[in-house]
């Protein structure tokens, strides 16, 4: 499920998604890549910029971002998120 250009992995139970877990930044960047591949450049940049802005004060990313409390959740730093951020930036820059 998507919420304001952030993606959740899946519904765990009947709780609202933002109570069960944060949005997955890796998924948001992958969505930007998918939009770019389909030729939807503006939408790709929206996904990219929304998720790029979800880093901590030090510029590091966690695996999850709580969109209600506007804070990082989960493992920090998350190497996979940093890797796909770089990949997405490179692809969108082509």
């Amino acid at each position: 499920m998507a919420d304001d250009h952030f993606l959740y992995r899946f519904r765990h139970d009947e709780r609202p998604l933002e109570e069960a877990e944060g949005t997955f930044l890796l998924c948001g960047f992958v969505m930007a890549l998918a939009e770019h591949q389909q030729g939807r450049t503006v939408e790709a940049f929206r996904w990219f910029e929304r998720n790029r802005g979800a880093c901590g004060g030090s510029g590091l990313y966690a695996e999850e971002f709580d969109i209600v409390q506007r804070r990082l959740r989960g493992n920090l730093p998350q190497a996979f998120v940093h890797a796909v951020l770089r990949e997405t930036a490179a692809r969108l820059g082509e």
Side-chain angles (χ1 to χ4, degrees):
M1 180 180 142
D3 186 353
D4 196 22
H5 290 90
F6 288 107
L7 281 176
Y8 290 95
R9 293 185 302 170
F10 57 88
R11 182 172 299 284
H12 292 273
D13 50 35
E14 296 304 314
R15 293 178 291 172
L17 287 170
E18 67 272 2
E19 289 179 16
E21 70 178 10
T23 60
F24 263 66
L25 297 175
L26 179 79
C27 296
F29 288 122
V30 169
M31 181 62 95
L33 287 170
E35 294 283 13
H36 179 66
Q37 185 179 32
Q38 296 299 314
R40 295 189 287 265
T41 306
V42 172
E43 198 61 21
F45 274 97
R46 284 183 181 141
W47 281 99
F48 176 75
E49 289 299 329
R50 193 68 169 139
N51 286 272
R52 186 185 62 82
C55 66
S58 63
L60 296 176
Y61 291 87
E63 65 183 345
E64 297 179 37
F65 182 70
D66 186 325
I67 62 173
V68 174
Q69 296 181 9
R70 312 296 299 167
R71 66 182 186 141
L72 301 173
R73 289 174 64 173
N75 298 326
L76 176 73
Q78 180 51 250
F80 294 120
V81 174
H82 289 89
V84 78
L85 162 71
R86 293 176 55 103
E87 173 73 16
T88 306
R91 296 285 172 125
L92 293 179
E94 293 176 342

